[in-house]
Amino acid sequence: MTTLAFAVLLGASLLGYALNRQAASAIHAGGTRLHSLSNHHGLYALLLVLVPVLVLILAWLALQGPVIDRLTMAGLPEGTLEALDGGGAQLVLAEIKSLAGGRVFGDPEPWKQVAAERYASLRLLSGQMLLAVVAGLSAIILFFARSRVGAGFRARQRVEGIVSGLMIFCSVAAIFTTVGIVAALLFETLRFLEMVPLTEFLFGTNWEPQIPIREGQVAAEGAFGWLPVILGTLVITVVALLLAVPVGLLSAIYLHEFAPARLRAVAKPVLEILAGVPTVVYGFFAILVVAPAIRDFGAAIGLPVSPNTALAAGSVMGVMLIPFISSFSDDALSAVPRSLRDGALALGATRAETVLNVLFPAALPGIVGGVLLAVSRAIGETMIVVMAAGLIAKMTVNPLDSVTTVTVQIVTLLIGDTSFDNPKTLAAFALGMMLFLVTLAINVFALRIVRKYREAYD
């Protein structure tokens, strides 16, 4: 029924567009001058049907589940739930839903079968009511929209008003979503800090959330100093950027300024294919090709190399980041006004001098933005690090050693059935909050640089 309701909505919207557009065209063909184009009259009917009815469907779908669950549980025989707590009642409801869906395990009690039939009938009734309401409301709105078609009706302004309202709604939803995410992180972080002192978390040099290191520790379940974790993150990020930044910048400069047009048309799309490769593929490449090669090279020259190394993970991550930096740099170079380039060449500068002294400084805001975006991507990468760098948190800057990152530890802490009142689980939210603050600082820094240099060159 839900799919049918969406189909009715789509059909009514398109029908409204066609009816209003045809009516407006007929008026215009009769010699009457319309305030708005025929397309605007059609769009007005389409949006007038689509927006409110879609909101109604989404609200209906959001509310029907809890309402039907409550009605189903209220219809159970008296005394059925008296001996059960909240979890037991949820298990009974889940079994009723399974029976209603035709998934019968064992020999259920008759009252559960009756409840399942009631649950299925309520869902069917809800679907039928939704379909009827959608069809009726769409017809009413269609009739109203059709009656508005006329020479003096300002359809374009109405369409712009509806679209403006949608954009405002999307902006507000994005803002509140961000606020909600930050609030959830902050709330769970404060719960974690009630169990682990802030000084131990910020300045502790041991990260062993699964192993107690001393008797009577505050959390009594491990060490929660985040310094080894963020240090491992920085080591891998630095290795990745040392490879990605020069290669990405030089490839962008070559493709933009020196490469023949035919070579650029082929090389640039091929380079950007790297950005579409799944990170798990990079992880396989790191663990099967790069890490063994580094180990063999280290053994050949007598260097101790761990089986999983930050160098392997960081170098493969750098390959993954090359298209980001190259693409952003190329776009930034292309955005530089051509008059600057032509002026430099007219004054006798070579192409290399023009790139180095004119184009590159003018494109610096875009280039820095691309690099810092790559930094954020490197800090947040998880899959490659899990497969190639390991899970051990160490206070080391040796790229040939095993390290771990913030995101890897967050994933590790949230795997399993650990309850959310445990410091080992809540530590994931504390790490998430610190990661959020670090990336926020990077973005603010990037924004400042972009604004500063944009003012100088605009």
Side-chain angles (χ1 to χ4, degrees):
M1 288 295 177
T2 302
T3 305
L4 192 56
F6 278 108
V8 169
L9 171 61
L10 180 61
S13 303
L14 295 178
L15 179 63
Y17 175 83
L19 289 177
N20 270 32
R21 188 176 186 279
Q22 185 181 22
S25 299
I27 295 175
H28 180 69
T32 303
R33 184 175 181 181
L34 297 173
H35 175 273
S36 304
L37 298 175
S38 300
N39 274 338
H40 292 139
H41 286 276
L43 287 173
Y44 171 72
L46 186 146
L47 293 174
L48 201 62
V49 175
L50 183 65
V51 175
V53 179
L54 180 61
V55 172
L56 171 70
I57 293 176
L58 295 179
W60 191 294
L61 295 178
L63 295 176
Q64 76 168 1
V67 172
I68 292 177
D69 291 350
R70 186 176 292 275
L71 292 175
T72 302
M73 299 302 281
L76 295 179
E78 291 187 5
T80 304
L81 303 177
E82 286 183 356
L84 300 177
D85 55 5
Q90 290 300 319
L91 288 176
V92 170
L93 179 60
E95 188 174 358
I96 292 173
K97 290 181 178 179
S98 297
L99 291 173
R103 298 182 295 275
V104 180
F105 303 99
D107 187 15
E109 294 90 335
W111 62 268
K112 289 183 179 178
Q113 294 180 344
V114 173
E117 293 173 359
R118 177 179 171 78
Y119 178 83
S121 64
L122 287 173
R123 288 193 64 86
L124 179 62
L125 178 62
S126 174
Q128 291 172 343
M129 291 176 61
L130 173 62
L131 183 59
V133 170
V134 167
L137 184 59
S138 299
I140 294 173
I141 297 176
L142 275 177
F143 178 78
F144 174 77
R146 175 63 183 82
S147 67
R148 301 289 290 173
V149 178
F153 181 60
R154 298 175 178 267
R156 182 172 63 84
Q157 281 80 357
R158 299 300 178 91
V159 170
E160 291 174 350
I162 295 174
V163 174
S164 176
L166 288 175
M167 290 191 291
I168 292 173
F169 171 77
C170 292
S171 302
V172 172
I175 292 172
F176 275 95
T177 301
T178 305
V179 172
I181 292 173
V182 174
L185 271 179
L186 183 61
F187 177 75
E188 299 296 342
T189 302
L190 292 177
R191 289 182 61 198
F192 169 76
L193 293 178
E194 290 175 356
M195 303 176 188
V196 178
L198 178 61
T199 53
E200 181 179 336
F201 177 65
L202 291 181
F203 305 111
T205 57
N206 290 316
W207 178 261
E208 297 177 359
Q210 308 296 335
I211 303 172
I213 61 172
R214 65 175 184 274
E215 187 177 358
Q217 184 178 343
V218 175
E221 295 187 18
F224 295 95
W226 85 306
L227 288 180
V229 184
I230 190 63
L231 188 60
T233 305
L234 294 177
V235 169
I236 293 179
T237 302
V238 168
V239 171
L241 294 179
L242 287 177
L243 174 64
V245 171
V247 175
L249 280 179
L250 292 177
S251 61
I253 292 173
Y254 173 73
L255 291 176
H256 180 268
E257 191 64 26
F258 299 101
R262 296 178 63 181
L263 175 62
R264 172 185 166 85
V266 175
K268 186 173 172 61
V270 170
L271 185 63
E272 291 180 346
I273 287 177
L274 290 174
V277 176
T279 55
V280 67
V281 177
Y282 284 110
F284 280 123
F285 178 67
I287 196 170
L288 295 178
V289 178
V290 179
I294 293 175
R295 284 199 303 271
D296 293 342
F297 181 74
I301 62 175
L303 277 178
V305 180
S306 299
N308 296 316
T309 62
L311 183 59
S315 57
V316 174
M317 195 185 299
V319 174
M320 182 187 71
L321 296 177
I322 288 174
F324 284 92
I325 297 176
S326 176
S327 179
F328 273 92
S329 302
D330 185 60
D331 293 341
L333 290 171
S334 300
V336 175
R338 187 170 181 82
S339 58
L340 292 178
R341 180 176 179 275
D342 294 342
L345 294 174
L347 290 174
T350 64
R351 295 174 70 181
E353 290 171 341
T354 301
V355 171
L356 187 64
N357 298 321
V358 178
L359 295 183
F360 191 80
L364 189 60
I367 293 173
V368 171
V371 171
L372 292 179
L373 184 63
V375 172
S376 299
R377 177 76 188 272
I379 290 176
E381 176 54 37
T382 305
M383 184 62 70
I384 298 175
V385 181
V386 169
M387 300 177 71
L391 300 173
I392 303 173
K394 294 181 180 177
M395 286 291 291
T396 178
V397 293
N398 182 8
L400 300 179
D401 207 347
S402 297
V403 296
T404 189
T405 63
V406 174
T407 54
V408 170
Q409 287 302 311
I410 290 175
V411 172
T412 305
L413 292 169
L414 294 180
I415 291 177
D417 297 328
T418 308
S419 62
F420 275 76
D421 58 353
N422 191 300
K424 289 187 292 188
T425 306
L426 295 175
F429 294 94
L431 288 179
M433 175 57 74
M434 298 305 294
L435 188 63
F436 169 75
L437 294 177
V438 170
T439 52
L440 178 64
I442 291 173
N443 289 330
V444 171
F445 178 66
L447 191 61
R448 280 182 168 273
I449 288 181
V450 169
R451 285 181 175 174
K452 177 180 178 181
Y453 285 93
R454 179 175 294 168
E455 291 174 358
Y457 286 100
D458 276 349

